[in-house]
Amino acid sequence: MKASISAGPEGIWRNQHQSEKLIKHFKGKCRNHHHFNLSVLAFGYVLGAVLVLGSFVCGFCEEISLVSVPLGFEISGFDKRHWVSENGIFAFGFLSDYQKDGFVVGIWYNFGNRGAVPDMLPVWTVGGGIRVSQNSTFQLSMDGSLALFDNLSGLLVWSSNTSSLGVQTANLLNSGNLVLMGSGQEVVWDSFHRPTDTLLPGQSLHFPQALQAPSANTAAGYYSFQIRSSGEVVLVWDSNVTYWSSHLSPSMVATEARFESNGVFGLFDETGKIVWYRSSKDFRDPSVVFRLLRIDPDGNLRIYSWDDALHLWKVGWQAVENQCYVFGSCGLYSTCGYNSTGPICECLVQDSMGWDTAYEVDSSSYGCKKMVDLDNCKTGISMMSLKQTVLYGLYPPHDVDVMLSAEACKRYCLNDSSCFAATAKNDGSGLCTIKRTSFISGYRYVSVPATSFLKVCLAPQAVSTQEAKLHNNPEIPLSQPSLSGVDDHKGFALAVAVLFFITASVFLIVEIFIFWFVYRRRQVRSQMRAPFLKDARMDPHYSAVIRLSFEEVRQLTNDFKTQLGPTVFKGALPNKMPVVAKIQQQGSWQKRLDIAIGVARAVAYLHLECQQCIAHGNLKLENILLDEQLVAKVTDFGLLGLMEKEDASSSETLPERDVYKFGEMLLQIVMAKRDVLRSDVFSLAYEMCRDQKLGEVSDIKLEDRIEWAGVERVVRIAFWCMQDQPFLRPSIGEVVKVLEGSLHVDTPPMRSAFEIDENQTAERDIDAVEGGISSIWLLYLKLKY
């Protein structure tokens, strides 16, 4: 009977009758045909009445809250309702597959009635996640078995195999455990003892039980979380590669692995004493109600906690902190590494991929193609070096270890026709690992003490006759010296020397040309100005058109002394002829702001996005270059760290010093002056505030008030950057967000940034800052108009 859509006793009987008609056309292993007796029919009438009342009470709700369901209960993929536990926390039914097309049948946390977007992540699935079409049915058959049928083919997809065991009802408990109960209320079968990929609070693992990662791709299905006979828990790939272990002491023997509701996952001995545990970072947090332990498709084991405010699952603990240490994390022909966003995957050979960019570590993102077949290399083979890289074979995952130096390890693999790659440890062990399979994966980052060598085809233009003969003869022993190898070494050295000479020559020629061009340009300008200076003094009617520099205009106008209009100034030529100079600065503030943002982003890249933090160490306007579009380019970064060691007695680090110097640079950009000192700026601004010149701000135009908001924001973050105490300074990433306008900035404390009398109160400090910032705006308007 379809309890989810029945409208009464007649509906129950009609649905059962239609189901019997459908059964007659099944082929293969089909459902057994059963007839209701009078007692079952009577119970059906009662159940139908209960469902009618339930539907009347909840209207068109999509949940069926039943403590238990009887024999004959069934739901299908077309049903929009779910079977919900008595406490409403767990739901059971058909679920759209979150990884691939189709449906899975299982249990999930029921967050649909908590005001959140339902995150229906299954915590248990029928058959470990068997995918079926929507035209499928799950039922508690009359013989007492839970069964999943594909209605299109009429075949049995999965069964609990509990027929003839006296099953009477099925219960979805408040703990999330699906149980089959006998006539004496004994548990005949339950889902807690048959876990798939998740442990719920209160659920245990006993040897030889295991959790299997969801198979989002062909590789993820190989990951499993197992408990061994000793009680030790391990993460395993393909049943024979252990990449994480609890490392239980040999003197301790655990019999049970259990996940507790307080966020603790522990191993317990036969007396119930905990012998090993790991806890979530929100351990015993009373605000966390829902948790789960799950092995994810990426092969990592994690504890998740539900954040009811953000409506998402948050990671509280994971077994493998470095995701790249998960065996085969990036799949075939790729390596796992890190950038500023986290772990990424890169192809071993860029040409082997349809694109040449890295992609984030994701179980469904494997995109590297198979490498070129070495047997088809017409020009011979060579070894490509991969520094800070460890490679290992996936199929089969058995590498051969030999004791060789890095160079000998490289030659060994080159001369061995069965070797596809090799890894030499640089930690002093002299270990060389030979990979005799082309199915290779690995990981790389700067702290890995290893160099790997990958066998690849030679490019045609890089092939020599000697190399081709050597590579095509793998029988040459390692101990036998090779004259062709010596010749190749000499030829390589000669090629490097020639390349260096050519490069140096080209560089020298370019430098000479640039020097000549600059010198010639200055000479032409001086020749153009000479007649002007001479003729202008002697001829009062001299009217030749000539282009003047800004400094020359400043001299002619006596430093813009006499202002005739907002941007018009009076001046005089050397022959005393009066002239008018009009200055265009419109839009200059936005350009200056763009320059400041460009510099901040460049420094943020050095501090945050490189594999190692690179401090500039000498940040000043002289090290900022502008192109024709006024795009800022930061130069001379990192040189101070290479040339001198940081003072051990200093209270600030080089990155913190960069932030301080950037604050000074911001004030220089705002004031459009290079000789601005922080104390002078503040004193002048405070003086203007004291002289009550702030009233002039009320007379400015609306567009200037909008622009002032940007000026004020820049000045505030500049004062923050210039705090004497390094811990008060913001990070360069926060500075970028403030300049871009995505982060609000409060009034900075001025006592440490500027030398103010210590007798001043904190309230006066804040007033001085606000007045000082407004006064700087007046200075800015003066420069603008």
Side-chain angles (χ1 to χ4, degrees), residues 441-607:
S441 185
Y443 56 89
R444 67 169 71 178
Y445 36 91
V446 293
S447 61
V448 174
T451 300
S452 292
F453 307 100
L454 183 66
K455 191 176 288 185
V456 294
C457 291
L458 277 173
Q461 63 271 21
V463 179
S464 66
T465 306
Q466 293 86 352
E467 287 177 327
K469 293 180 179 179
L470 173 63
H471 297 154
N472 291 328
N473 185 14
E475 302 299 327
I476 299 178
L478 289 179
S479 58
Q480 179 179 351
S482 175
L483 295 178
S484 61
V486 175
D487 294 338
D488 292 342
H489 180 73
K490 292 181 179 178
F492 177 78
L494 179 61
V496 171
V498 172
L499 181 62
F500 176 81
F501 176 78
I502 295 176
T503 303
S505 301
V506 172
F507 180 81
L508 182 60
I509 293 173
V510 172
E511 288 291 325
I512 294 175
F513 175 80
I514 293 176
F515 177 81
W516 176 84
F517 179 81
V518 173
Y519 174 80
R520 180 62 180 170
R521 187 174 182 180
R522 289 181 178 178
Q523 191 177 29
V524 170
R525 286 184 177 180
S526 62
Q527 293 174 356
M528 292 177 62
R529 282 175 171 75
F532 168 74
L533 295 176
K534 179 179 180 181
D535 297 339
R537 289 188 179 96
M538 299 180 62
D539 185 5
H541 302 288
Y542 183 80
S543 59
V545 178
I546 189 170
R547 181 171 180 171
L548 301 179
S549 66
F550 184 82
E551 290 299 326
E552 291 173 331
V553 174
R554 182 189 294 272
Q555 295 177 3
L556 294 179
T557 58
N558 195 13
D559 201 13
F560 305 101
K561 181 177 180 180
T562 305
Q563 186 171 0
L564 303 179
T567 59
V568 180
F569 299 86
K570 180 181 178 181
L573 294 177
N575 57 8
K576 307 302 181 181
M577 178 181 291
V579 294
V580 174
K582 181 178 178 62
I583 305 300
Q584 300 292 336
Q585 284 193 351
Q586 293 182 0
S588 63
W589 166 246
Q590 184 59 45
K591 292 180 180 178
R592 279 183 274 172
L593 180 60
D594 292 340
I595 292 173
I597 294 176
V599 175
R601 288 174 177 170
V603 177
Y605 178 83
L606 296 175
H607 284 194

Side-chain angles (χ1 to χ4, degrees), residues 412-442:
Y412 185 97
C413 184
L414 179 64
N415 296 320
D416 187 348
S417 60
S418 64
C419 176
F420 290 87
T423 296
K425 293 294 183 68
N426 300 332
D427 54 2
S429 63
L431 187 64
C432 172
T433 306
I434 303 299
K435 296 84 174 69
R436 302 191 185 279
T437 173
S438 62
F439 300 102
I440 296 173
S441 185

Side-chain angles (χ1 to χ4, degrees), residues 205-211 225-234 254-257 267:
L205 278 181
H206 299 83
F207 177 77
Q209 293 176 329
L211 300 181
F225 176 61
Q226 304 174 4
I227 180 170
R228 291 175 172 168
S229 57
S230 63
E232 186 178 46
V233 287
V234 293
T255 59
E256 177 188 14
L267 300 180

